Amino acid sequence: MADFPPFAYTTQESWYGELSFKAAEDGSALPLAGRRFEMHITPATTSAQLVPPVLVLSMDEGRGLSLKQGDPGTLIFRVPKETANTFPRGDFTADVLEVVGTDRYLFMPVRITYAEPSGLRAFLSRFLGVSVSFAARQQPIYTPLAVPGREGRPGATILTSSVPPVPADGKDGDFFIEDRTAASQGRRMYGPKSGGVWPGAPWNIQVAAISDVPGLTGALTEKLDRNMLVKSSAPVAADFPAGTIRVAKNTATGRISLFVNDGGAIIDLINGQEF
């Protein structure tokens, strides 16, 4: 790939540049409204260690990057002379990075030459797709053409319905949520769809009843005697096996509570008493 012609600046002026993006297909303006960009100005140094930037421009208020008024396809960058004069003389990378969430992606490579006044040079485009022009009392205007990238793989989709999915629903890789809240039941999810088939066993993502928790009903059945123990006194260890839970009613006091046999010690789970 050929090098991009750099912006040339001297120590006597502020840095100002316009990046006007156009679609490669038809040359129409490529709108940038709603997108976020950063420009990391870094000495063009080859090093085994990461070279930190001397300045990071962003689209926050007063941070150096903005869209040109009335032209949302042109990105403007500015560095005041007072700030630039603290930079070392030489070549810089100032690549435009697109901000997507917490990630940064290279959007357009930019090079800057910073020299004394005698070092100011003019650069002309040597390959298709980039032009450099000079406007009165302005820095060079650098106009690259955007090159369409490779089409990415379609992402997975989450479908929803009040009934389970059928083979015609969705595509491979998709997930499906069955919303059963209208029937006072929890939601459950199927997926991912593979080979045109939805997995037959969903998993519960919202618990509306004990029966929605896999294995819980069986575990409680093993540990909980559903027949109430009725006697005229508090329960004792002989009334039910160690490690199990039982509801008991004391006819002498009229109290009903839930008890566990903890290795021979009977504990009232509701009132916290040990018998």
Side-chain angles (χ1 to χ4, degrees):
M1 177 178 176
D3 291 334
F4 283 85
F7 289 89
Y9 295 96
T10 79
T11 60
Q12 306 303 307
E13 58 199 3
S14 299
W15 295 9
Y16 173 92
E18 296 183 358
L19 298 172
S20 181
F21 295 93
K22 299 183 183 301
E25 295 87 349
D26 56 9
S28 61
L30 185 67
L32 306 177
R35 302 169 77 168
R36 302 287 299 172
F37 299 96
E38 288 181 354
M39 179 181 280
H40 293 228
I41 300 177
T42 306
T45 302
T46 301
S47 172
Q49 303 296 322
L50 184 66
V51 179
V54 295
L55 183 66
V56 177
L57 306 182
S58 72
M59 299 184 74
D60 296 330
E61 184 71 26
R63 294 298 302 273
L65 285 185
S66 61
L67 295 180
K68 188 173 183 179
Q69 188 172 5
D71 181 5
T74 297
L75 187 67
I76 294 174
F77 66 90
R78 296 182 176 89
V79 179
K81 178 177 65 175
E82 294 75 12
T83 301
N85 279 349
T86 64
F87 298 170
R89 308 305 184 258
D91 292 330
F92 291 83
T93 63
D95 298 339
V96 178
L97 307 180
E98 183 165 14
V99 180
V100 181
T102 58
D103 296 323
R104 305 291 187 273
Y105 300 97
L106 179 62
F107 190 74
M108 177 57 62
V110 175
R111 302 295 181 265
I112 289 176
T113 296
Y114 187 41
E116 300 298 335
S118 60
L120 179 62
R121 293 169 289 169
F123 293 87
L124 298 178
S125 173
R126 298 192 301 273
F127 60 101
L128 183 64
V130 176
S131 63
V132 180
S133 59
F134 292 84
R137 302 181 62 83
Q138 287 188 353
Q139 295 299 324
I141 300 176
Y142 184 27
T143 310
L145 291 181
V147 179
R150 213 170 31 179
E151 183 177 358
R153 176 185 174 186
T157 302
I158 297 179
L159 309 172
T160 61
S161 179
S162 59
V163 296
V166 297
D169 291 328
K171 62 183 182 302
D172 283 359
D174 286 352
F175 290 82
F176 190 100
I177 295 178
E178 181 188 1
D179 188 346
R180 305 180 299 162
T181 54
S184 300
Q185 296 177 298
R187 295 178 177 88
R188 56 188 183 182
M189 177 175 280
Y190 298 78
K193 186 178 183 180
S194 178
V197 177
W198 290 100
W203 67 90
N204 294 295
I205 58 175
Q206 180 186 29
V207 176
I210 289 178
S211 59
D212 288 334
V213 182
L216 180 58
T217 301
L220 290 176
T221 300
E222 289 182 9
K223 297 296 183 181
L224 180 61
D225 189 336
R226 298 188 179 184
N227 297 315
M228 181 184 296
L229 173 65
V230 179
K231 58 186 299 185
S232 59
S233 63
V236 296
D239 289 328
F240 49 97
T244 60
I245 302 171
R246 191 165 188 184
V247 176
K249 178 179 180 180
N250 187 335
T251 58
T253 62
R255 189 176 71 180
I256 299 176
S257 194
L258 188 65
F259 298 87
V260 61
N261 184 337
D262 184 13
I266 302 300
I267 299 174
D268 187 333
L269 294 176
I270 296 178
N271 298 286
Q273 296 173 316
E274 184 173 327
F275 296 85

